[in-house]
Amino acid sequence: MVVYMVTLYLRVSMRRSTEFSALRSLFRSVTAGALVLATILSCSDSTSPTKGLDGIIRVKVNTIGVDVPDSLKEAIAAQESVLSAPMSLAANFMNPTSAVSSLSAGAGCSSGGAFAGYNESRVTFRQEASPAFAPYPITPDSYIPASFVPLGFSFNFQGTNYDNVNVFTNGFLLFGAVPPLPGDGFFRGGLIPNSLNPNNLIAFAWTDWQPEVVPDGIRYETRVTDGKRRFILEFNNIPEYSSASKIGAIKLGVGYLTAQVVLYEGSNNIEIHTSTFNLTNSNNRYTQGIENAAGTLAMYDSIQNPTTLLWVPRVAKFFTKIRLTEDAVRFSPIATKDEQAPSITAPDAISQGNDPTLASAVVALGSPIASDNCGDPTISSVRSDGAAIDAPYPVGVTTVTWTATDAAGNKASATQMVTVLDIEPPVFPSSISARFASQSSLSFNATSPSGALVIYRVNATDNVGVTSLVCEPASGTQFPIGNTSVSCTAGDAAGNTASEQFNVHVASADEMLAALLASLAELNLPNGTKQPLYNQLKNANGGELSCNKLSDFIGLVGKKQSTVGAATTSLISQASWIMGALGCDGNSAPTLSAARIAN
């Protein structure tokens, strides 16, 4: 068996007046044996529930508490009987003529609505069948730790969810961690609200009781009806303090309590159903109500003083022959819709250059900052171009809209501008055939003594698109005989430019004559045909004679067509180009505006 020992003391400031100097002296004079706090733990390892023949399931628990002698309780009561019990101005209680009272605690948050306090109302008294589970052993002025009292569901009390509860034998439930017990063990009904311990409680009949003298006097159970669970705690025929020294020896005429507390799943309603409650000891004081964890807000009903017939709060009052019969109150959470939108700040705007050779860029957006009065909102994003948020961003401006959505569906949005700059100039291909559309060279035959009308088409590419391409001298203009340098500039929409220079050669009559002689030499013609043709060209060295010789050459090729064969057309064409370059009267170059020497 393990027993923890702590010196007993009186919390004179805790829910009591401060005029206790005489009582402090009384506590100092009590024997050390009475001044201990004992945590009672079973010496047996067996805590498995056992079901008796009477149908009650008895659960062995480890109660924790302080056994304060009756003599000390009476001394405290005598000291306090001359004191008043002031009400807190922050408290709220029901007027007997009103059906409903409410107490707002300020909006908190939960799924489907925000906790904003409680409404209190009187309801029809209803006694549930006695619960099946009976904890044992029960000790005076103690509590059953929450680990032994599971609710069987998540219950929201004062805006916080709990799945178990501490049961104090002096008539109240406490959610969450139990504070250190004072020397009096919280044995008498205290003021609520009060920032001092205990807090976060449901006081269904908080005063000094003796459940240890009643077999199975405390019972609890979780039941299910129509898919909803409810936890029921019952104090059954429990006598007030100083009523007995052992089981079966209860004095006649003492006060008793039979009451149930019911906690409802889903609605989180709290109901206190008091079948019978009467106090005969004039020194007792009684509290019934609920209080939040900070001890700043409380709610409670009112009761009629049988002597003065005045209605007074059921909080820390001294009553003689107080009696409640078939009394029931309900505390219902006030659920308010969360209508407050989240706040969201988009990441900073981004501006960066395109990725090499691409009309886009991979962009790291960053993360928005969002918050909400009801927890963390969810974040979503959408791009103005409809692409996935992590897809590359095209050159130009893309708007990203970030949206924060809270649990109630409230939304807030912020935008981020993403600018991808085109920083890459156009490119001229390196190969001639790619640079100049389908042209393998830029050499042209003169069509007159002044040159030739040259037509060319220059190609350039850009990662986004070429918007301008200008060359000087321009295509379609007259180029003189010889070499001419052409300069081209390509530009894109972003203003990036690139330049390229190339040479255009216009062949003279002499160059074309040399080419014609070379073509003739390459023909495998008999000497009787080849030599006369060759002699005509060899003497064509300009002037009128050259024009005549070329004309004679054309006529001779025609006469020898049977021998010249397929080369006939080519030889006549080349001679005609030369005549055009010489400006021979009555002769002109072929109708093509520009002819290349070689393809």
Side-chain angles (χ1 to χ4, degrees):
M1 176 179 292
V2 180
V3 178
Y4 296 94
M5 308 294 290
V6 181
T7 302
L8 179 66
Y9 63 95
L10 176 64
R11 289 283 301 276
V12 294
S13 62
M14 186 208 70
R15 303 188 184 271
R16 288 168 171 76
S17 179
T18 57
E19 302 176 18
F20 287 103
S21 57
L23 192 56
R24 288 197 191 97
S25 299
L26 175 62
F27 267 86
R28 293 192 188 100
S29 66
V30 180
T31 62
L35 302 179
V36 296
L37 171 63
T39 299
I40 304 174
L41 300 175
S42 172
C43 296
S44 168
D45 293 332
S46 175
T47 58
S48 300
T50 57
K51 187 172 184 179
L53 296 176
D54 52 7
I56 299 175
I57 302 171
R58 293 174 175 84
V59 181
K60 195 166 189 178
V61 297
N62 300 326
T63 57
I64 300 173
V66 176
D67 187 0
V68 182
D70 286 351
S71 58
L72 295 184
K73 292 180 179 180
E74 290 168 0
I76 294 173
Q79 180 73 17
E80 289 187 334
S81 63
V82 297
L83 304 176
S84 63
M87 287 300 301
S88 168
L89 295 178
N92 184 27
F93 63 92
M94 279 196 63
N95 186 292
T97 61
S98 173
V100 176
S101 177
S102 65
L103 182 64
S104 175
C109 289
S110 61
S111 178
F115 172 77
Y118 285 91
N119 283 324
E120 182 187 3
S121 60
R122 291 195 177 92
V123 294
T124 302
F125 172 79
R126 179 173 54 86
Q127 183 78 12
E128 294 258 9
S130 290
F133 295 89
Y136 77 97
I138 301 299
T139 57
D141 305 315
S142 66
Y143 70 92
I144 304 169
S147 58
F148 292 98
V149 192
L151 299 177
F153 55 90
S154 180
F155 181 76
N156 189 280
F157 180 67
Q158 302 283 358
T160 301
N161 291 326
Y162 301 93
D163 56 15
N164 53 25
V165 67
N166 302 284
V167 177
F168 278 74
T169 60
N170 283 326
F172 64 93
L173 305 179
L174 187 148
F175 290 93
V178 176
L181 294 182
D184 62 6
F186 306 130
F187 74 87
R188 306 186 71 215
L191 291 172
I192 57 172
N194 191 309
S195 60
L196 297 175
N197 293 324
N199 304 118
N200 211 33
L201 57 82
I202 300 173
F204 58 93
W206 183 10
T207 190
D208 197 0
W209 302 107
Q210 282 192 276
E212 72 277 7
V213 300
V214 178
D216 307 322
I218 298 177
R219 289 160 70 170
Y220 50 78
E221 182 182 354
T222 299
R223 293 174 180 159
V224 181
T225 301
D226 296 330
K228 289 295 184 181
R229 288 165 287 193
R230 64 191 184 280
F231 173 80
I232 305 162
L233 171 74
E234 179 180 84
F235 272 39
N236 190 3
N237 214 29
I238 305 297
E240 61 186 332
Y241 97 99
S242 192
S243 297
S245 58
K246 60 182 180 178
I247 295 177
I250 300 175
K251 301 175 185 177
L252 294 176
V254 299
Y256 283 91
L257 170 68
T258 296
Q260 292 179 339
V261 180
V262 186
L263 310 181
Y264 290 87
E265 180 183 22
S267 68
N268 297 305
N269 284 343
I270 303 164
E271 291 186 4
I272 301 173
H273 292 262
T274 307
S275 177
T276 300
F277 173 32
N278 65 299
L279 295 176
T280 62
N281 192 321
S282 61
N283 292 326
N284 260 338
R285 65 185 191 185
Y286 152 67
T287 295
Q288 183 184 75
I290 60 175
E291 182 191 53
N292 66 357
T296 56
L297 292 169
M299 174 170 278
Y300 33 79
D301 204 341
S302 55
I303 190 171
Q304 189 174 36
N305 187 302
T307 302
T308 65
L309 300 182
L310 297 176
W311 289 89
V312 293
R314 302 182 183 183
V315 176
K317 287 298 183 180
F318 299 89
F319 297 112
T320 302
K321 297 182 180 180
I322 184 173
R323 182 178 298 275
L324 283 177
T325 302
E326 296 187 353
D327 177 85
V329 293
R330 174 188 293 160
F331 301 95
S332 302
I334 301 171
T336 61
K337 183 180 180 182
D338 174 20
E339 295 181 344
Q340 182 173 334
S343 65
I344 185 169
T345 302
D348 292 338
I350 293 174
S351 180
Q352 70 179 62
N354 65 284
D355 292 341
T357 74
L358 300 177
S360 61
V362 175
V363 177
L365 296 178
S367 299
I369 300 173
S371 61
D372 186 61
N373 63 317
C374 294
D376 295 329
T378 58
I379 306 298
S380 61
S381 58
V382 63
R383 285 169 43 162
S384 56
D385 61 357
I389 196 70
D390 56 352
Y393 284 74
V395 167
V397 178
T398 303
T399 300
V400 179
T401 300
W402 298 93
T403 300
T405 306
D406 65 18
N410 301 305
K411 299 178 183 291
S413 297
T415 58
Q416 177 186 20
M417 307 301 290
V418 178
T419 303
V420 176
L421 302 173
D422 178 13
I423 59 174
E424 195 167 325
V427 174
F428 291 95
S430 59
S431 67
I432 291 178
S433 61
R435 188 185 313 168
F436 307 105
S438 72
Q439 295 173 213
S440 58
S441 66
L442 288 177
S443 293
F444 299 87
N445 290 331
T447 59
S448 72
S450 61
L453 186 69
V454 174
I455 297 175
Y456 60 85
R457 191 172 71 219
V458 178
N459 284 339
T461 60
D462 186 68
N463 61 315
V464 177
V466 176
T467 57
S468 64
L469 182 56
V470 179
C471 296
E472 184 63 35
S475 174
T477 61
Q478 188 78 16
F479 277 59
I481 292 172
N483 292 321
T484 300
S485 178
V486 179
S487 178
C488 292
T489 300
D492 61 20
N496 301 305
T497 60
S499 297
E500 174 80 354
Q501 288 186 332
F502 59 92
N503 186 66
V504 174
H505 179 73
V506 177
S508 66
D510 288 341
E511 290 176 288
M512 288 186 282
L513 178 59
L516 178 56
L517 290 171
S519 297
L520 184 60
E522 293 174 356
L523 295 175
N524 189 21
L525 299 176
N527 286 335
T529 301
K530 181 178 181 179
Q531 194 59 42
L533 294 175
Y534 182 78
N535 290 338
Q536 289 292 332
L537 295 176
K538 187 174 181 182
N539 295 323
N541 55 1
E544 186 68 27
L545 179 61
S546 297
C547 291
N548 291 334
K549 288 291 185 179
L550 287 168
S551 179
D552 291 343
F553 173 80
I554 291 172
L556 186 57
V557 171
K559 290 179 181 180
K560 296 182 177 292
Q561 181 176 357
S562 60
T563 304
V564 175
T568 298
T569 302
S570 174
L571 293 176
I572 292 174
S573 176
Q574 291 186 62
S576 297
W577 275 105
I578 297 171
M579 291 180 72
L582 291 174
C584 298
D585 292 340
N587 292 280
S588 62
T591 56
L592 296 174
S593 63
R596 288 166 291 158
I597 295 174
N599 290 325

